[in-house]
Amino acid sequence: KMAEKQEEPSNTQNGEPDNAEEGEEKKKKKLKREDLPPFEIVTGERLPAIFFKFQFRNVEYSSGRNKTFLCYVLETQGKESVTSRGYLEDEHAAAHAEMAFFNTILPKCESNLRYNITWYVSSSPCVTCADRITETLKKNKNLRLTIMVGRLFMWEEPEMQAALKKMKSAGCKLRIMKPQDFEYVWQNFVEQEEGEEAKAFVPWEDIQENFQYYEEKLAEIL
């Protein structure tokens, strides 16, 4: 029941007008800033606390948690470094958040720039997304990707394990989020109440045990 209640708000976030406006903004930005790397810099985009508390929980059985939330920090190193951050979720992009990142945030890697990317994702990628990550990293040697995940998705499945191993061999760093990482996401990517003191991150009861549980599983797989 709780799961249903908490997922309802996500539909209201999916309004079309936003996207139309974004398109216009993008055009304006492109005209003004030809010299910048070809991605949109999203600032002040934060996810509602209720989504974070539900989706990012590193529970063992993730019932009702069938969406991926992906918070990213993208550092582009050229003549000068540019850092951008934001978050994506599955619905916004009509694709899994991982795919959406490559399609919308980082559509093309410029070979003369280095990209350091860190994702904080509620769960590890599905097989298709894992394969896309592997391909992208093999193609773009100037791209470094670290993925911090709250939970492992379908990790018992042999093809999933194989896909994660391939990601690792393509140079992707895969890590399980520690309590400190959840706190980092809370501070940097979650909406804080207007006008109030920023609320401190409150770890859930089994956060440390669940982290250790998933860390062992990941070590076994990789």
Side-chain angles (χ1 to χ4, degrees), residues 139-162:
K139 250 190 283 180
N140 301 285
K141 295 293 177 204
N142 53 336
L143 210 164
R144 304 252 176 285
L145 178 62
T146 302
I147 306 180
M148 315 289 291
V149 302
R151 302 183 298 276
L152 289 174
F153 173 69
M154 312 262 296
W155 56 268
E156 289 123 321
E157 303 289 324
E159 59 173 340
M160 189 69 254
Q161 296 186 0

PDB file of all heavy atoms in Angstrom, residues 139-162:
ATOM      1  N   LYS A 139      33.957   2.610 -26.825  1.00  0.00           N
ATOM      2  CA  LYS A 139      34.064   3.558 -27.939  1.00  0.00           C
ATOM      3  C   LYS A 139      34.773   4.843 -27.532  1.00  0.00           C
ATOM      4  O   LYS A 139      35.461   5.461 -28.314  1.00  0.00           O
ATOM      5  CB  LYS A 139      32.666   3.924 -28.448  1.00  0.00           C
ATOM      6  CG  LYS A 139      32.362   3.356 -29.819  1.00  0.00           C
ATOM      7  CD  LYS A 139      31.071   3.950 -30.395  1.00  0.00           C
ATOM      8  CE  LYS A 139      29.868   3.312 -29.733  1.00  0.00           C
ATOM      9  NZ  LYS A 139      28.568   3.779 -30.171  1.00  0.00           N
ATOM     10  N   ASN A 140      34.536   5.284 -26.295  1.00  0.00           N
ATOM     11  CA  ASN A 140      35.069   6.575 -25.839  1.00  0.00           C
ATOM     12  C   ASN A 140      36.099   6.380 -24.746  1.00  0.00           C
ATOM     13  O   ASN A 140      35.756   6.293 -23.584  1.00  0.00           O
ATOM     14  CB  ASN A 140      33.924   7.450 -25.315  1.00  0.00           C
ATOM     15  CG  ASN A 140      32.867   7.693 -26.371  1.00  0.00           C
ATOM     16  OD1 ASN A 140      33.045   8.467 -27.285  1.00  0.00           O
ATOM     17  ND2 ASN A 140      31.749   6.990 -26.241  1.00  0.00           N
ATOM     18  N   LYS A 141      37.340   6.352 -25.153  1.00  0.00           N
ATOM     19  CA  LYS A 141      38.411   6.083 -24.186  1.00  0.00           C
ATOM     20  C   LYS A 141      38.623   7.273 -23.252  1.00  0.00           C
ATOM     21  O   LYS A 141      39.291   7.158 -22.228  1.00  0.00           O
ATOM     22  CB  LYS A 141      39.725   5.747 -24.909  1.00  0.00           C
ATOM     23  CG  LYS A 141      39.670   4.465 -25.713  1.00  0.00           C
ATOM     24  CD  LYS A 141      39.524   3.250 -24.805  1.00  0.00           C
ATOM     25  CE  LYS A 141      39.388   1.961 -25.601  1.00  0.00           C
ATOM     26  NZ  LYS A 141      38.712   0.906 -24.840  1.00  0.00           N
ATOM     27  N   ASN A 142      38.066   8.422 -23.610  1.00  0.00           N
ATOM     28  CA  ASN A 142      38.253   9.629 -22.784  1.00  0.00           C
ATOM     29  C   ASN A 142      37.141   9.782 -21.755  1.00  0.00           C
ATOM     30  O   ASN A 142      36.963  10.826 -21.159  1.00  0.00           O
ATOM     31  CB  ASN A 142      38.287  10.866 -23.684  1.00  0.00           C
ATOM     32  CG  ASN A 142      37.074  10.939 -24.611  1.00  0.00           C
ATOM     33  OD1 ASN A 142      36.461   9.919 -24.910  1.00  0.00           O
ATOM     34  ND2 ASN A 142      36.730  12.136 -25.063  1.00  0.00           N
ATOM     35  N   LEU A 143      36.394   8.711 -21.561  1.00  0.00           N
ATOM     36  CA  LEU A 143      35.252   8.763 -20.646  1.00  0.00           C
ATOM     37  C   LEU A 143      35.506   7.850 -19.448  1.00  0.00           C
ATOM     38  O   LEU A 143      35.810   6.668 -19.620  1.00  0.00           O
ATOM     39  CB  LEU A 143      34.038   8.255 -21.431  1.00  0.00           C
ATOM     40  CG  LEU A 143      32.659   8.788 -21.078  1.00  0.00           C
ATOM     41  CD1 LEU A 143      31.697   8.456 -22.207  1.00  0.00           C
ATOM     42  CD2 LEU A 143      32.156   8.159 -19.811  1.00  0.00           C
ATOM     43  N   ARG A 144      35.438   8.417 -18.255  1.00  0.00           N
ATOM     44  CA  ARG A 144      35.573   7.605 -17.027  1.00  0.00           C
ATOM     45  C   ARG A 144      34.234   7.580 -16.330  1.00  0.00           C
ATOM     46  O   ARG A 144      33.662   8.638 -16.066  1.00  0.00           O
ATOM     47  CB  ARG A 144      36.574   8.246 -16.064  1.00  0.00           C
ATOM     48  CG  ARG A 144      37.942   8.492 -16.623  1.00  0.00           C
ATOM     49  CD  ARG A 144      38.958   7.529 -16.043  1.00  0.00           C
ATOM     50  NE  ARG A 144      40.273   7.687 -16.647  1.00  0.00           N
ATOM     51  CZ  ARG A 144      40.588   7.257 -17.874  1.00  0.00           C
ATOM     52  NH1 ARG A 144      39.682   6.679 -18.626  1.00  0.00           N
ATOM     53  NH2 ARG A 144      41.809   7.404 -18.350  1.00  0.00           N
ATOM     54  N   LEU A 145      33.756   6.407 -16.006  1.00  0.00           N
ATOM     55  CA  LEU A 145      32.436   6.305 -15.372  1.00  0.00           C
ATOM     56  C   LEU A 145      32.509   5.508 -14.074  1.00  0.00           C
ATOM     57  O   LEU A 145      33.015   4.395 -14.035  1.00  0.00           O
ATOM     58  CB  LEU A 145      31.447   5.630 -16.337  1.00  0.00           C
ATOM     59  CG  LEU A 145      30.018   5.400 -15.834  1.00  0.00           C
ATOM     60  CD1 LEU A 145      29.314   6.719 -15.493  1.00  0.00           C
ATOM     61  CD2 LEU A 145      29.193   4.644 -16.880  1.00  0.00           C
ATOM     62  N   THR A 146      32.007   6.119 -13.004  1.00  0.00           N
ATOM     63  CA  THR A 146      31.871   5.425 -11.722  1.00  0.00           C
ATOM     64  C   THR A 146      30.384   5.371 -11.412  1.00  0.00           C
ATOM     65  O   THR A 146      29.703   6.397 -11.467  1.00  0.00           O
ATOM     66  CB  THR A 146      32.584   6.209 -10.599  1.00  0.00           C
ATOM     67  OG1 THR A 146      33.964   6.345 -10.960  1.00  0.00           O
ATOM     68  CG2 THR A 146      32.485   5.467  -9.266  1.00  0.00           C
ATOM     69  N   ILE A 147      29.878   4.187 -11.125  1.00  0.00           N
ATOM     70  CA  ILE A 147      28.453   4.050 -10.810  1.00  0.00           C
ATOM     71  C   ILE A 147      28.298   3.591  -9.373  1.00  0.00           C
ATOM     72  O   ILE A 147      28.775   2.518  -8.990  1.00  0.00           O
ATOM     73  CB  ILE A 147      27.759   3.040 -11.752  1.00  0.00           C
ATOM     74  CG1 ILE A 147      27.997   3.419 -13.216  1.00  0.00           C
ATOM     75  CG2 ILE A 147      26.265   2.984 -11.464  1.00  0.00           C
ATOM     76  CD1 ILE A 147      27.340   2.462 -14.209  1.00  0.00           C
ATOM     77  N   MET A 148      27.663   4.424  -8.569  1.00  0.00           N
ATOM     78  CA  MET A 148      27.379   4.088  -7.180  1.00  0.00           C
ATOM     79  C   MET A 148      25.927   3.628  -7.136  1.00  0.00           C
ATOM     80  O   MET A 148      25.038   4.396  -7.510  1.00  0.00           O
ATOM     81  CB  MET A 148      27.533   5.319  -6.290  1.00  0.00           C
ATOM     82  CG  MET A 148      28.769   6.160  -6.549  1.00  0.00           C
ATOM     83  SD  MET A 148      30.270   5.324  -6.019  1.00  0.00           S
ATOM     84  CE  MET A 148      30.073   5.351  -4.258  1.00  0.00           C
ATOM     85  N   VAL A 149      25.677   2.399  -6.722  1.00  0.00           N
ATOM     86  CA  VAL A 149      24.295   1.905  -6.732  1.00  0.00           C
ATOM     87  C   VAL A 149      23.789   1.604  -5.325  1.00  0.00           C
ATOM     88  O   VAL A 149      24.538   1.164  -4.459  1.00  0.00           O
ATOM     89  CB  VAL A 149      24.138   0.643  -7.629  1.00  0.00           C
ATOM     90  CG1 VAL A 149      24.574   0.949  -9.048  1.00  0.00           C
ATOM     91  CG2 VAL A 149      24.903  -0.554  -7.084  1.00  0.00           C
ATOM     92  N   GLY A 150      22.509   1.855  -5.113  1.00  0.00           N
ATOM     93  CA  GLY A 150      21.889   1.551  -3.830  1.00  0.00           C
ATOM     94  C   GLY A 150      21.648   0.056  -3.682  1.00  0.00           C
ATOM     95  O   GLY A 150      21.910  -0.534  -2.630  1.00  0.00           O
ATOM     96  N   ARG A 151      21.129  -0.536  -4.768  1.00  0.00           N
ATOM     97  CA  ARG A 151      20.814  -1.973  -4.735  1.00  0.00           C
ATOM     98  C   ARG A 151      21.331  -2.642  -6.001  1.00  0.00           C
ATOM     99  O   ARG A 151      21.534  -1.985  -7.009  1.00  0.00           O
ATOM    100  CB  ARG A 151      19.287  -2.178  -4.719  1.00  0.00           C
ATOM    101  CG  ARG A 151      18.568  -1.524  -3.589  1.00  0.00           C
ATOM    102  CD  ARG A 151      17.072  -1.862  -3.641  1.00  0.00           C
ATOM    103  NE  ARG A 151      16.411  -1.397  -4.849  1.00  0.00           N
ATOM    104  CZ  ARG A 151      15.941  -0.163  -5.027  1.00  0.00           C
ATOM    105  NH1 ARG A 151      16.102   0.738  -4.075  1.00  0.00           N
ATOM    106  NH2 ARG A 151      15.342   0.182  -6.139  1.00  0.00           N
ATOM    107  N   LEU A 152      21.499  -3.951  -5.935  1.00  0.00           N
ATOM    108  CA  LEU A 152      21.832  -4.706  -7.141  1.00  0.00           C
ATOM    109  C   LEU A 152      20.542  -5.252  -7.734  1.00  0.00           C
ATOM    110  O   LEU A 152      19.716  -5.826  -7.034  1.00  0.00           O
ATOM    111  CB  LEU A 152      22.774  -5.865  -6.822  1.00  0.00           C
ATOM    112  CG  LEU A 152      24.207  -5.484  -6.454  1.00  0.00           C
ATOM    113  CD1 LEU A 152      24.984  -6.723  -6.032  1.00  0.00           C
ATOM    114  CD2 LEU A 152      24.915  -4.790  -7.619  1.00  0.00           C
ATOM    115  N   PHE A 153      20.382  -5.079  -9.035  1.00  0.00           N
ATOM    116  CA  PHE A 153      19.175  -5.486  -9.731  1.00  0.00           C
ATOM    117  C   PHE A 153      19.368  -6.884 -10.317  1.00  0.00           C
ATOM    118  O   PHE A 153      20.339  -7.116 -11.039  1.00  0.00           O
ATOM    119  CB  PHE A 153      18.895  -4.462 -10.838  1.00  0.00           C
ATOM    120  CG  PHE A 153      17.762  -4.826 -11.752  1.00  0.00           C
ATOM    121  CD1 PHE A 153      16.454  -4.835 -11.284  1.00  0.00           C
ATOM    122  CD2 PHE A 153      17.999  -5.143 -13.082  1.00  0.00           C
ATOM    123  CE1 PHE A 153      15.399  -5.162 -12.124  1.00  0.00           C
ATOM    124  CE2 PHE A 153      16.953  -5.467 -13.938  1.00  0.00           C
ATOM    125  CZ  PHE A 153      15.651  -5.474 -13.456  1.00  0.00           C
ATOM    126  N   MET A 154      18.470  -7.809  -9.980  1.00  0.00           N
ATOM    127  CA  MET A 154      18.464  -9.171 -10.548  1.00  0.00           C
ATOM    128  C   MET A 154      19.843  -9.842 -10.533  1.00  0.00           C
ATOM    129  O   MET A 154      20.238 -10.505 -11.478  1.00  0.00           O
ATOM    130  CB  MET A 154      18.004  -9.121 -12.020  1.00  0.00           C
ATOM    131  CG  MET A 154      16.757  -8.330 -12.281  1.00  0.00           C
ATOM    132  SD  MET A 154      15.254  -9.315 -12.397  1.00  0.00           S
ATOM    133  CE  MET A 154      15.539 -10.319 -13.839  1.00  0.00           C
ATOM    134  N   TRP A 155      20.583  -9.619  -9.462  1.00  0.00           N
ATOM    135  CA  TRP A 155      21.973 -10.062  -9.468  1.00  0.00           C
ATOM    136  C   TRP A 155      22.158 -11.574  -9.490  1.00  0.00           C
ATOM    137  O   TRP A 155      23.225 -12.077  -9.784  1.00  0.00           O
ATOM    138  CB  TRP A 155      22.725  -9.455  -8.279  1.00  0.00           C
ATOM    139  CG  TRP A 155      22.090  -9.761  -6.953  1.00  0.00           C
ATOM    140  CD1 TRP A 155      21.173  -8.992  -6.307  1.00  0.00           C
ATOM    141  CD2 TRP A 155      22.292 -10.909  -6.137  1.00  0.00           C
ATOM    142  NE1 TRP A 155      20.798  -9.579  -5.126  1.00  0.00           N
ATOM    143  CE2 TRP A 155      21.462 -10.769  -4.999  1.00  0.00           C
ATOM    144  CE3 TRP A 155      23.098 -12.053  -6.243  1.00  0.00           C
ATOM    145  CZ2 TRP A 155      21.413 -11.722  -3.986  1.00  0.00           C
ATOM    146  CZ3 TRP A 155      23.043 -12.999  -5.231  1.00  0.00           C
ATOM    147  CH2 TRP A 155      22.201 -12.834  -4.121  1.00  0.00           C
ATOM    148  N   GLU A 156      21.083 -12.312  -9.196  1.00  0.00           N
ATOM    149  CA  GLU A 156      21.240 -13.781  -9.232  1.00  0.00           C
ATOM    150  C   GLU A 156      21.268 -14.316 -10.660  1.00  0.00           C
ATOM    151  O   GLU A 156      21.704 -15.432 -10.894  1.00  0.00           O
ATOM    152  CB  GLU A 156      20.094 -14.471  -8.469  1.00  0.00           C
ATOM    153  CG  GLU A 156      20.174 -14.280  -6.963  1.00  0.00           C
ATOM    154  CD  GLU A 156      18.915 -13.637  -6.397  1.00  0.00           C
ATOM    155  OE1 GLU A 156      18.374 -12.733  -7.072  1.00  0.00           O
ATOM    156  OE2 GLU A 156      18.505 -14.029  -5.295  1.00  0.00           O
ATOM    157  N   GLU A 157      20.764 -13.524 -11.615  1.00  0.00           N
ATOM    158  CA  GLU A 157      20.658 -14.002 -13.001  1.00  0.00           C
ATOM    159  C   GLU A 157      22.038 -14.065 -13.659  1.00  0.00           C
ATOM    160  O   GLU A 157      22.767 -13.084 -13.669  1.00  0.00           O
ATOM    161  CB  GLU A 157      19.795 -13.033 -13.826  1.00  0.00           C
ATOM    162  CG  GLU A 157      18.402 -12.798 -13.299  1.00  0.00           C
ATOM    163  CD  GLU A 157      17.507 -14.013 -13.485  1.00  0.00           C
ATOM    164  OE1 GLU A 157      17.663 -14.697 -14.522  1.00  0.00           O
ATOM    165  OE2 GLU A 157      16.684 -14.275 -12.599  1.00  0.00           O
ATOM    166  N   PRO A 158      22.376 -15.243 -14.257  1.00  0.00           N
ATOM    167  CA  PRO A 158      23.693 -15.378 -14.890  1.00  0.00           C
ATOM    168  C   PRO A 158      23.961 -14.311 -15.958  1.00  0.00           C
ATOM    169  O   PRO A 158      25.073 -13.781 -16.044  1.00  0.00           O
ATOM    170  CB  PRO A 158      23.645 -16.767 -15.528  1.00  0.00           C
ATOM    171  CG  PRO A 158      22.573 -17.501 -14.791  1.00  0.00           C
ATOM    172  CD  PRO A 158      21.599 -16.490 -14.298  1.00  0.00           C
ATOM    173  N   GLU A 159      22.944 -13.953 -16.767  1.00  0.00           N
ATOM    174  CA  GLU A 159      23.240 -12.972 -17.825  1.00  0.00           C
ATOM    175  C   GLU A 159      23.479 -11.579 -17.241  1.00  0.00           C
ATOM    176  O   GLU A 159      24.238 -10.790 -17.787  1.00  0.00           O
ATOM    177  CB  GLU A 159      22.168 -12.953 -18.919  1.00  0.00           C
ATOM    178  CG  GLU A 159      20.783 -12.634 -18.440  1.00  0.00           C
ATOM    179  CD  GLU A 159      19.799 -12.453 -19.615  1.00  0.00           C
ATOM    180  OE1 GLU A 159      20.232 -12.209 -20.750  1.00  0.00           O
ATOM    181  OE2 GLU A 159      18.581 -12.549 -19.362  1.00  0.00           O
ATOM    182  N   MET A 160      22.833 -11.311 -16.104  1.00  0.00           N
ATOM    183  CA  MET A 160      23.058 -10.037 -15.429  1.00  0.00           C
ATOM    184  C   MET A 160      24.491  -9.985 -14.903  1.00  0.00           C
ATOM    185  O   MET A 160      25.194  -8.985 -15.045  1.00  0.00           O
ATOM    186  CB  MET A 160      22.053  -9.901 -14.277  1.00  0.00           C
ATOM    187  CG  MET A 160      21.997  -8.550 -13.611  1.00  0.00           C
ATOM    188  SD  MET A 160      21.305  -7.220 -14.621  1.00  0.00           S
ATOM    189  CE  MET A 160      22.758  -6.298 -15.060  1.00  0.00           C
ATOM    190  N   GLN A 161      24.922 -11.090 -14.290  1.00  0.00           N
ATOM    191  CA  GLN A 161      26.289 -11.155 -13.753  1.00  0.00           C
ATOM    192  C   GLN A 161      27.313 -10.975 -14.872  1.00  0.00           C
ATOM    193  O   GLN A 161      28.291 -10.239 -14.725  1.00  0.00           O
ATOM    194  CB  GLN A 161      26.505 -12.491 -13.034  1.00  0.00           C
ATOM    195  CG  GLN A 161      25.601 -12.635 -11.820  1.00  0.00           C
ATOM    196  CD  GLN A 161      25.906 -13.887 -11.001  1.00  0.00           C
ATOM    197  OE1 GLN A 161      26.787 -14.664 -11.326  1.00  0.00           O
ATOM    198  NE2 GLN A 161      25.160 -14.074  -9.931  1.00  0.00           N
ATOM    199  N   ALA A 162      27.046 -11.618 -16.005  1.00  0.00           N
ATOM    200  CA  ALA A 162      27.968 -11.503 -17.150  1.00  0.00           C
ATOM    201  C   ALA A 162      28.030 -10.052 -17.632  1.00  0.00           C
ATOM    202  O   ALA A 162      29.105  -9.530 -17.945  1.00  0.00           O
ATOM    203  CB  ALA A 162      27.507 -12.415 -18.282  1.00  0.00           C
TER     204      ALA A 162
END
